[in-house]
Structure formats: structure tokens, C-alpha cells
Amino acid sequence: MVYASSGQQGFRSALEDTYQRRDLVHLSAGSRVPLLRNSLWLVTRGMVKLSCITEQGDDLVLGLAGPNEPFGAPLTNLDLYEATTLCDSDLLCIPLDEVDETPHIARSLVTAMASRMRQSEALIALLGLRRVEERVRGFLELLAQEYGQPCEQGLRLNLRLTHQDIAAALSTTRVTVTRVLGMLREEGWLQLDGQRQLVVSHLPRD
């Protein structure tokens, strides 16, 4: 489970009212999500990594889609755009013509897309930080605040992000990310729980 904002909860209610009989698509961790030109995907459970392949063949992480957040081919202009599940996930496929015909779904979708846009802007801002330590710390804070599950130690990230995934998102190397994560654990800012999940122990106060 992860936190869901009031806007996300409203989106979920709107979807349940309209698509309560629609079958969900279940994908196991590490599955590639087929991107359809005239349909959007909505995450109902789990997490999806959004990325693209650069001209050099590198995997560039563009963002994440968690519960009640949309993604899909109509929301990008990138040719080599990919979506991969980070954990076992349930997805809902929504044809664009149904969005056009359902005003309350369209309004809720705009709110959900705005949340995704804010996340993308936050990731871009992190890339402007000179110190990789600050980028990694900021990236984990962002994930914890948006998707973290409260636990005794802090906020648990129920995500299977590899060190390479974090490096790709922050324009650095896997070796550097591994070193920084080790440093954050040594200072107690970051922990590993019994299931080897990352737990962010200290977040800035609002």
C-alpha cells in the first residue's frame, strides 16, 4: 500500500463508478506494459517505471506511475518510450474515446496528470544539483513522500528500484549510487527492513 491524496481518492471513486465491471490486467514484476496509441493505462495497484532508450542505448528513467496515476503513449512524444512494472501490479486500460464521453473521468484524469507533471518537474530540478548525494537524497525523499508506506522506522519504499534505475534517473553511475546509499545508511538517514526494502527515516518538516 501507499498513500493516496484526496485528489487520487476522488479519481479512484470516479473510476470505480464507471469501470467497476472492467477486468484489470495483472502483470508480474519486471513485465513490459504494451503501450497503445488510443488508450491510457491507470495503475490501480503496484508501480510502473517510465523510461526511454537514448541514442547511446542507455535506459533513462523519466518517472514513476503509482496507484491512481495514468501513463501511456498518448501522454508522450518520445518514440522509444517504455513502461515496466517494478512490482506485481494491476492496471486498468481506458480507451481515449471513453474518456471523451465521460466528463467526470476526464476531469479526474487532468488532476492525476498534473500530479505526474509535478513529479517530472521535481526530477528535473534534482538534476540541477551538483552533488550526487543531494540528488540521491532528494530522489528518495520524493519517492517516500509520494509513495511511502508508514512504518515504525519511517516511510518504507515498496519498490524494487535497482541502483542502476536510480543512477539512470539522476544522470550518474551505479557505482556512485551504491556508495551514496551506503553512506546514507551509515548516518541512519536510510535503513533496510527485514524484507530488504528501503526505509527513509528522516524527512524534512513542512
Side-chain angles (χ1 to χ4, degrees), residues 58-134:
D58 298 323
D59 188 32
L60 177 63
V61 177
L62 302 172
L64 302 174
N68 305 310
E69 293 181 337
F71 67 94
L75 300 181
T76 180
N77 288 324
L78 299 175
D79 294 330
L80 301 179
Y81 188 77
E82 295 182 348
T84 308
T85 55
L86 290 174
C87 55
D88 291 351
S89 302
D90 292 324
L91 308 177
L92 180 67
C93 186
I94 308 176
L96 289 182
D97 56 358
E98 293 189 16
V99 174
D100 292 337
E101 296 168 0
T102 314
H104 68 285
I105 291 295
R107 289 193 297 269
S108 298
L109 188 61
V110 169
T111 301
M113 289 170 60
S115 176
R116 284 280 321 285
M117 181 179 295
R118 286 192 293 269
Q119 181 196 96
S120 297
E121 290 179 342
L123 288 175
I124 292 172
L126 287 175
L127 293 178
L129 299 176
R130 290 190 176 183
R131 298 179 59 197
V132 177
E133 175 192 341
E134 294 177 349

Side-chain angles (χ1 to χ4, degrees), residues 110-178:
V110 169
T111 301
M113 289 170 60
S115 176
R116 284 280 321 285
M117 181 179 295
R118 286 192 293 269
Q119 181 196 96
S120 297
E121 290 179 342
L123 288 175
I124 292 172
L126 287 175
L127 293 178
L129 299 176
R130 290 190 176 183
R131 298 179 59 197
V132 177
E133 175 192 341
E134 294 177 349
R135 291 186 223 163
V136 173
R137 195 189 298 265
F139 182 65
L140 296 178
E141 285 179 354
L142 175 65
L143 296 184
Q145 290 169 337
E146 293 197 4
Y147 307 117
Q149 177 185 3
C151 63
E152 185 176 347
Q153 295 84 9
L155 290 175
R156 179 187 296 112
L157 299 177
N158 291 333
L159 311 174
R160 291 298 181 185
L161 277 174
T162 67
H163 292 188
Q164 182 58 48
D165 287 333
I166 298 174
L170 300 176
S171 190
T172 185
T173 66
R174 179 187 56 80
V175 173
T176 300
V177 167
T178 299

Side-chain angles (χ1 to χ4, degrees), residues 33-39 41 50 71-74 76 81-83:
V33 183
L35 298 177
L36 310 174
R37 185 177 61 181
N38 296 316
S39 296
W41 287 101
L50 308 175
F71 67 94
T76 180
Y81 188 77
E82 295 182 348

